[in-house]
Each structure stands twice: as C-alpha cells, then as structure tokens.
Short mmCIF file of all heavy atoms in Angstrom, two decimals:
data_model
loop_
_atom_site.label_atom_id
_atom_site.label_comp_id
_atom_site.label_asym_id
_atom_site.label_seq_id
_atom_site.Cartn_x
_atom_site.Cartn_y
_atom_site.Cartn_z
N THR W 842 87.71 81.09 89.99
CA THR W 842 87.71 82.54 90.20
C THR W 842 88.92 82.96 91.03
O THR W 842 89.52 84.01 90.80
CB THR W 842 86.40 82.97 90.86
OG1 THR W 842 85.32 82.70 89.96
CG2 THR W 842 86.39 84.44 91.21
N SER W 843 89.29 82.14 91.99
CA SER W 843 90.50 82.42 92.76
C SER W 843 91.73 82.13 91.91
O SER W 843 91.83 81.09 91.26
CB SER W 843 90.55 81.54 94.02
OG SER W 843 91.81 81.66 94.66
N TYR W 844 92.68 83.07 91.92
CA TYR W 844 93.97 82.85 91.26
C TYR W 844 95.07 82.97 92.32
O TYR W 844 96.09 83.62 92.11
CB TYR W 844 94.16 83.87 90.13
CG TYR W 844 95.22 83.46 89.12
CD1 TYR W 844 95.04 82.36 88.30
CD2 TYR W 844 96.39 84.19 88.96
CE1 TYR W 844 96.00 81.99 87.37
CE2 TYR W 844 97.34 83.84 88.03
CZ TYR W 844 97.15 82.73 87.23
OH TYR W 844 98.09 82.37 86.30
N ASP W 845 94.83 82.36 93.46
CA ASP W 845 95.72 82.50 94.62
C ASP W 845 97.14 82.04 94.32
O ASP W 845 98.11 82.66 94.73
CB ASP W 845 95.15 81.73 95.80
CG ASP W 845 96.00 81.85 97.03
OD1 ASP W 845 95.86 82.86 97.74
OD2 ASP W 845 96.83 80.94 97.28
N TYR W 846 97.27 80.91 93.66
CA TYR W 846 98.54 80.39 93.14
C TYR W 846 99.53 80.00 94.25
O TYR W 846 100.70 79.79 94.00
CB TYR W 846 99.22 81.43 92.22
CG TYR W 846 99.81 80.82 90.97
CD1 TYR W 846 99.05 80.71 89.82
CD2 TYR W 846 101.12 80.35 90.93
CE1 TYR W 846 99.57 80.15 88.66
CE2 TYR W 846 101.64 79.78 89.79
CZ TYR W 846 100.87 79.68 88.66
OH TYR W 846 101.38 79.12 87.51
N ASP W 847 99.03 79.91 95.51
CA ASP W 847 99.92 79.63 96.64
C ASP W 847 101.09 80.62 96.67
O ASP W 847 102.23 80.27 96.97
CB ASP W 847 100.44 78.18 96.59
CG ASP W 847 101.07 77.75 97.92
OD1 ASP W 847 100.53 78.11 98.98
OD2 ASP W 847 102.10 77.04 97.89
N ALA W 848 100.78 81.87 96.36
CA ALA W 848 101.81 82.91 96.24
C ALA W 848 102.21 83.44 97.61
O ALA W 848 101.49 83.28 98.60
CB ALA W 848 101.27 84.06 95.38
N PRO W 849 103.37 84.10 97.71
CA PRO W 849 103.81 84.66 99.00
C PRO W 849 102.83 85.67 99.59
O PRO W 849 102.75 85.80 100.82
CB PRO W 849 105.14 85.33 98.64
CG PRO W 849 105.65 84.55 97.47
CD PRO W 849 104.43 84.20 96.68
N ILE W 850 102.10 86.40 98.75
CA ILE W 850 100.99 87.24 99.21
C ILE W 850 99.72 86.59 98.68
O ILE W 850 99.58 86.40 97.47
CB ILE W 850 101.12 88.69 98.70
CG1 ILE W 850 102.46 89.29 99.11
CG2 ILE W 850 99.98 89.54 99.24
CD1 ILE W 850 102.71 90.67 98.51
N ASP W 851 98.78 86.26 99.57
CA ASP W 851 97.64 85.46 99.14
C ASP W 851 96.62 86.28 98.37
O ASP W 851 96.79 87.49 98.16
CB ASP W 851 97.01 84.71 100.32
CG ASP W 851 96.17 85.60 101.23
OD1 ASP W 851 95.91 86.79 100.92
OD2 ASP W 851 95.76 85.10 102.30
N GLU W 852 95.55 85.62 97.93
CA GLU W 852 94.54 86.25 97.09
C GLU W 852 93.98 87.52 97.71
O GLU W 852 93.63 88.47 97.02
CB GLU W 852 93.41 85.25 96.84
CG GLU W 852 92.25 85.82 96.03
CD GLU W 852 91.11 84.85 95.86
OE1 GLU W 852 91.17 83.73 96.41
OE2 GLU W 852 90.14 85.21 95.15
N TYR W 853 93.91 87.56 99.04
CA TYR W 853 93.28 88.68 99.74
C TYR W 853 94.26 89.78 100.11
O TYR W 853 93.88 90.77 100.71
CB TYR W 853 92.59 88.15 101.01
CG TYR W 853 91.50 87.15 100.71
CD1 TYR W 853 91.81 85.80 100.50
CD2 TYR W 853 90.18 87.54 100.61
CE1 TYR W 853 90.82 84.88 100.21
CE2 TYR W 853 89.18 86.62 100.31
CZ TYR W 853 89.51 85.29 100.11
OH TYR W 853 88.53 84.38 99.82
N GLY W 854 95.53 89.58 99.78
CA GLY W 854 96.54 90.58 100.10
C GLY W 854 97.25 90.33 101.41
O GLY W 854 98.04 91.18 101.86
N LEU W 855 97.01 89.18 102.05
CA LEU W 855 97.67 88.84 103.31
C LEU W 855 98.97 88.10 103.04
O LEU W 855 99.07 87.31 102.09
CB LEU W 855 96.75 87.98 104.18
CG LEU W 855 95.43 88.62 104.62
CD1 LEU W 855 94.59 87.60 105.37
CD2 LEU W 855 95.67 89.86 105.47
N ILE W 856 99.95 88.34 103.88
CA ILE W 856 101.23 87.65 103.76
C ILE W 856 101.05 86.17 104.12
O ILE W 856 100.41 85.84 105.12
CB ILE W 856 102.28 88.31 104.67
CG1 ILE W 856 102.71 89.66 104.07
CG2 ILE W 856 103.48 87.40 104.88
CD1 ILE W 856 103.62 90.46 104.96
N ARG W 857 101.55 85.30 103.26
CA ARG W 857 101.49 83.86 103.50
C ARG W 857 102.84 83.40 104.03
O ARG W 857 103.87 83.49 103.34
CB ARG W 857 101.15 83.13 102.20
CG ARG W 857 101.27 81.61 102.31
CD ARG W 857 100.84 80.90 101.04
NE ARG W 857 99.39 80.74 101.00
CZ ARG W 857 98.61 81.25 100.06
NH1 ARG W 857 99.14 81.98 99.09
NH2 ARG W 857 97.31 81.06 100.10
N GLN W 858 102.81 82.95 105.27
CA GLN W 858 104.03 82.43 105.89
C GLN W 858 103.96 80.90 105.97
O GLN W 858 102.87 80.35 106.11
CB GLN W 858 104.19 83.01 107.31
CG GLN W 858 104.35 84.51 107.35
CD GLN W 858 105.71 84.98 106.87
OE1 GLN W 858 106.38 84.30 106.08
NE2 GLN W 858 106.12 86.16 107.31
N PRO W 859 105.09 80.21 105.81
CA PRO W 859 106.44 80.78 105.82
C PRO W 859 106.98 81.16 104.45
O PRO W 859 108.15 81.53 104.33
CB PRO W 859 107.26 79.63 106.40
CG PRO W 859 106.56 78.40 105.89
CD PRO W 859 105.10 78.74 105.91
N LYS W 860 106.17 81.07 103.39
CA LYS W 860 106.69 81.30 102.04
C LYS W 860 107.28 82.70 101.89
O LYS W 860 108.40 82.87 101.39
CB LYS W 860 105.59 81.05 100.99
CG LYS W 860 106.08 81.13 99.56
CD LYS W 860 105.11 80.50 98.58
CE LYS W 860 105.24 79.00 98.56
NZ LYS W 860 104.44 78.35 97.50
N TYR W 861 106.53 83.71 102.34
CA TYR W 861 107.00 85.09 102.20
C TYR W 861 108.30 85.32 102.96
O TYR W 861 109.29 85.84 102.41
CB TYR W 861 105.90 86.03 102.71
CG TYR W 861 106.25 87.50 102.72
CD1 TYR W 861 105.95 88.32 101.62
CD2 TYR W 861 106.84 88.09 103.83
CE1 TYR W 861 106.24 89.67 101.64
CE2 TYR W 861 107.15 89.44 103.86
CZ TYR W 861 106.85 90.24 102.77
OH TYR W 861 107.14 91.58 102.79
N GLY W 862 108.33 84.93 104.23
CA GLY W 862 109.50 85.22 105.06
C GLY W 862 110.73 84.43 104.66
O GLY W 862 111.85 84.95 104.72
N HIS W 863 110.53 83.18 104.28
CA HIS W 863 111.69 82.36 103.89
C HIS W 863 112.32 82.90 102.61
O HIS W 863 113.56 82.94 102.49
CB HIS W 863 111.24 80.91 103.71
CG HIS W 863 112.36 79.93 103.63
ND1 HIS W 863 113.37 79.84 104.56
CD2 HIS W 863 112.64 78.95 102.70
CE1 HIS W 863 114.21 78.88 104.24
NE2 HIS W 863 113.79 78.33 103.09
N LEU W 864 111.49 83.32 101.66
CA LEU W 864 112.05 83.92 100.44
C LEU W 864 112.73 85.25 100.75
O LEU W 864 113.76 85.59 100.15
CB LEU W 864 110.95 84.11 99.40
CG LEU W 864 110.36 82.82 98.81
CD1 LEU W 864 109.24 83.15 97.83
CD2 LEU W 864 111.42 81.96 98.14
N LYS W 865 112.14 86.02 101.66
CA LYS W 865 112.78 87.28 102.06
C LYS W 865 114.18 87.02 102.61
O LYS W 865 115.14 87.73 102.27
CB LYS W 865 111.92 87.98 103.11
CG LYS W 865 112.50 89.29 103.63
CD LYS W 865 111.57 89.95 104.65
CE LYS W 865 112.15 91.25 105.16
NZ LYS W 865 111.22 91.92 106.12
N ASP W 866 114.32 86.00 103.44
CA ASP W 866 115.64 85.65 103.97
C ASP W 866 116.58 85.19 102.85
O ASP W 866 117.79 85.50 102.88
CB ASP W 866 115.50 84.54 105.02
CG ASP W 866 114.79 85.02 106.28
OD1 ASP W 866 114.69 86.24 106.49
OD2 ASP W 866 114.32 84.15 107.05
N LEU W 867 116.04 84.46 101.88
CA LEU W 867 116.85 84.05 100.73
C LEU W 867 117.37 85.26 99.97
O LEU W 867 118.55 85.34 99.61
CB LEU W 867 116.02 83.16 99.81
CG LEU W 867 116.61 82.84 98.44
CD1 LEU W 867 117.88 82.01 98.57
CD2 LEU W 867 115.60 82.12 97.55
N HIS W 868 116.47 86.23 99.72
CA HIS W 868 116.89 87.42 98.97
C HIS W 868 118.00 88.17 99.71
O HIS W 868 118.98 88.63 99.08
CB HIS W 868 115.69 88.36 98.77
CG HIS W 868 114.54 87.70 98.09
ND1 HIS W 868 113.23 88.10 98.26
CD2 HIS W 868 114.49 86.62 97.24
CE1 HIS W 868 112.43 87.33 97.55
NE2 HIS W 868 113.17 86.43 96.92
N LYS W 869 117.87 88.27 101.01
CA LYS W 869 118.89 88.96 101.80
C LYS W 869 120.23 88.23 101.71
O LYS W 869 121.29 88.86 101.55
CB LYS W 869 118.43 89.06 103.25
CG LYS W 869 119.38 89.83 104.16
CD LYS W 869 118.81 89.92 105.58
CE LYS W 869 119.76 90.68 106.50
NZ LYS W 869 119.21 90.77 107.88
N ALA W 870 120.19 86.91 101.78
CA ALA W 870 121.42 86.13 101.69
C ALA W 870 122.08 86.30 100.32
O ALA W 870 123.31 86.46 100.22
CB ALA W 870 121.12 84.67 101.98
N ILE W 871 121.28 86.26 99.25
CA ILE W 871 121.83 86.40 97.90
C ILE W 871 122.42 87.79 97.71
O ILE W 871 123.51 87.95 97.12
CB ILE W 871 120.75 86.12 96.85
CG1 ILE W 871 120.31 84.65 96.89
CG2 ILE W 871 121.24 86.49 95.45
CD1 ILE W 871 121.40 83.66 96.55
N LYS W 872 121.72 88.81 98.18
CA LYS W 872 122.22 90.18 98.02
C LYS W 872 123.57 90.35 98.72
O LYS W 872 124.42 91.13 98.26
CB LYS W 872 121.21 91.18 98.57
CG LYS W 872 119.92 91.27 97.77
CD LYS W 872 120.10 91.93 96.42
CE LYS W 872 118.76 92.18 95.75
NZ LYS W 872 118.88 92.88 94.45
N SER W 873 123.78 89.62 99.81
CA SER W 873 125.07 89.72 100.50
C SER W 873 126.19 89.09 99.69
O SER W 873 127.37 89.33 99.98
CB SER W 873 124.98 89.05 101.88
OG SER W 873 124.84 87.65 101.76
N CYS W 874 125.83 88.31 98.68
CA CYS W 874 126.83 87.68 97.80
C CYS W 874 126.95 88.41 96.47
O CYS W 874 127.72 87.97 95.60
CB CYS W 874 126.45 86.23 97.51
SG CYS W 874 126.17 85.18 98.93
N GLU W 875 126.17 89.46 96.25
CA GLU W 875 125.98 90.03 94.91
C GLU W 875 127.30 90.40 94.24
O GLU W 875 127.51 90.10 93.05
CB GLU W 875 125.07 91.25 95.00
CG GLU W 875 124.69 91.82 93.65
CD GLU W 875 123.61 92.90 93.77
OE1 GLU W 875 123.49 93.50 94.85
OE2 GLU W 875 122.90 93.13 92.78
N LYS W 876 128.19 91.03 94.96
CA LYS W 876 129.44 91.49 94.34
C LYS W 876 130.25 90.32 93.80
O LYS W 876 130.76 90.36 92.67
CB LYS W 876 130.26 92.29 95.36
CG LYS W 876 131.45 93.00 94.75
CD LYS W 876 132.13 93.90 95.78
CE LYS W 876 133.33 94.62 95.16
NZ LYS W 876 134.02 95.48 96.18
N ALA W 877 130.35 89.27 94.58
CA ALA W 877 131.11 88.09 94.12
C ALA W 877 130.41 87.40 92.95
O ALA W 877 131.05 87.01 91.97
CB ALA W 877 131.30 87.12 95.27
N LEU W 878 129.08 87.27 93.04
CA LEU W 878 128.34 86.56 92.00
C LEU W 878 128.45 87.24 90.64
O LEU W 878 128.44 86.58 89.60
CB LEU W 878 126.87 86.43 92.39
CG LEU W 878 126.55 85.62 93.66
CD1 LEU W 878 125.04 85.58 93.89
CD2 LEU W 878 127.12 84.22 93.58
N LEU W 879 128.53 88.57 90.65
CA LEU W 879 128.50 89.32 89.39
C LEU W 879 129.89 89.66 88.86
O LEU W 879 130.00 90.26 87.79
CB LEU W 879 127.69 90.60 89.59
CG LEU W 879 126.20 90.38 89.86
CD1 LEU W 879 125.50 91.70 90.09
CD2 LEU W 879 125.54 89.62 88.72
N ASN W 880 130.93 89.29 89.59
CA ASN W 880 132.28 89.63 89.13
C ASN W 880 133.19 88.42 89.03
O ASN W 880 134.40 88.57 88.90
CB ASN W 880 132.89 90.67 90.07
CG ASN W 880 132.24 92.03 89.94
OD1 ASN W 880 132.51 92.76 88.99
ND2 ASN W 880 131.34 92.34 90.87
N ALA W 881 132.60 87.23 89.10
CA ALA W 881 133.40 86.01 88.98
C ALA W 881 132.56 84.94 88.31
O ALA W 881 131.33 84.94 88.40
CB ALA W 881 133.88 85.55 90.35
N ASP W 882 133.25 84.02 87.63
CA ASP W 882 132.58 82.87 87.07
C ASP W 882 132.62 81.74 88.09
O ASP W 882 133.64 81.55 88.77
CB ASP W 882 133.26 82.42 85.78
CG ASP W 882 133.12 83.45 84.68
OD1 ASP W 882 132.03 84.05 84.59
OD2 ASP W 882 134.08 83.64 83.92
N PRO W 883 131.54 80.96 88.22
CA PRO W 883 131.54 79.91 89.23
C PRO W 883 132.44 78.74 88.85
O PRO W 883 132.56 78.39 87.68
CB PRO W 883 130.07 79.48 89.27
CG PRO W 883 129.54 79.81 87.92
CD PRO W 883 130.28 81.04 87.48
#
C-alpha cells in the first residue's frame, strides 16, 4: 500500500533528508553551469 519509493518527499509529505537537500544543492550547482552546458559541446 505504501509507495514511498525512498523519494525526497516521503509518503506522508515530509521532507526526507539528506536526499532532498543534497539534490537541491546539486540542482543549484548545475543551474550555475547552465549557460556553458547549453552552448558548448563537452
């Protein structure tokens, strides 16, 4: 019945740390690279 999936937000709607926060930091880091990533080939 539970489909929790070890997701960043758990089955009950609570933030699961450190998964949520670490991914949030990843997203921020990637967004800071966005211009270079989308205008150059690696």
Side-chain angles (χ1 to χ4, degrees):
T842 295
S843 171
Y844 199 66
D845 181 83
Y846 223 90
D847 194 39
I850 304 174
D851 76 8
E852 177 183 3
Y853 299 84
L855 298 175
I856 287 174
R857 171 176 277 120
Q858 298 287 25
K860 185 163 281 188
Y861 176 92
H863 193 53
L864 292 178
K865 179 179 180 178
D866 292 343
L867 169 65
H868 304 153
K869 183 178 179 180
I871 293 296
K872 292 289 188 177
S873 69
C874 305
E875 186 171 23
K876 190 174 180 181
L878 297 181
L879 294 178
N880 289 282
D882 293 322

